[in-house]
Amino acid sequence: CDGTQRQAWTLPPAPLATGLGQCIAVTPATGGNPATLSLAHCSRQASQAWTIAPDGTISVPAGCLTTTGATAAAGTPVTIAACPAAAAKSFPAQQWRPMPRLGGPSGPGGPASTGSFLINPATGLCLAVPAQPATGSPLALGYCLAGYPGLTWRLG
């Protein structure tokens, strides 16, 4: 692998599911209100058709998953925001990298956490479903810990 463009793959849009069995859904912006994220029963609706692009963005037509705040730390909400223009380099707050979960079926993490961590390289933290989400988003940055299904993700 040499990281060239011809080795970059984009999978078809599909639901992005947590190890908890729910998918990220987007409610589009309306009447001056911004688009919002929620967790919902997984379906093949457009609001759940996520694309993970070679530039590290995770997007739906309404925008890209984005960390918020001036300094990102565990607990920082993750929201939906406009994606960068195709010619622009994506913002660090909108970049995510999959990393296989730690452990195996008999090791830490167990079968309930099948999937991958989604790490924001700028912070070193994972996309998480916190036990007590912040108002406005069911997602946040969290420490990448094996064995917690709210930290593991799968596309499709």
Side-chain angles (χ1 to χ4, degrees), residues 15 21-25 38-45 47-48:
Q22 293 181 304
C23 288
I24 304 173
S38 63
L39 293 175
H41 176 75
C42 297
S43 67
R44 295 277 177 195
Q45 296 179 18
S47 66
Q48 294 183 13

Side-chain angles (χ1 to χ4, degrees), residues 109-142:
S113 62
T114 300
S116 298
F117 291 129
L118 290 175
I119 299 174
N120 175 257
T123 63
L125 298 170
C126 284
L127 180 62
V129 178
Q132 296 180 350
T135 303
S137 179
L139 305 174
L141 292 175

Side-chain angles (χ1 to χ4, degrees), residues 27-36:
T27 302
T30 59
N33 296 319
T36 58

Side-chain angles (χ1 to χ4, degrees), residues 1-72:
C1 297
D2 60 14
T4 60
Q5 186 64 23
R6 69 175 194 266
Q7 293 180 345
W9 296 81
T10 301
L11 297 174
L16 186 58
T18 71
L20 299 169
Q22 293 181 304
C23 288
I24 304 173
V26 175
T27 302
T30 59
N33 296 319
T36 58
L37 298 173
S38 63
L39 293 175
H41 176 75
C42 297
S43 67
R44 295 277 177 195
Q45 296 179 18
S47 66
Q48 294 183 13
W50 294 92
T51 299
I52 300 176
D55 67 358
T57 57
I58 300 176
S59 64
V60 291
C64 289
L65 285 182
T66 306
T67 63
T68 60
T71 57

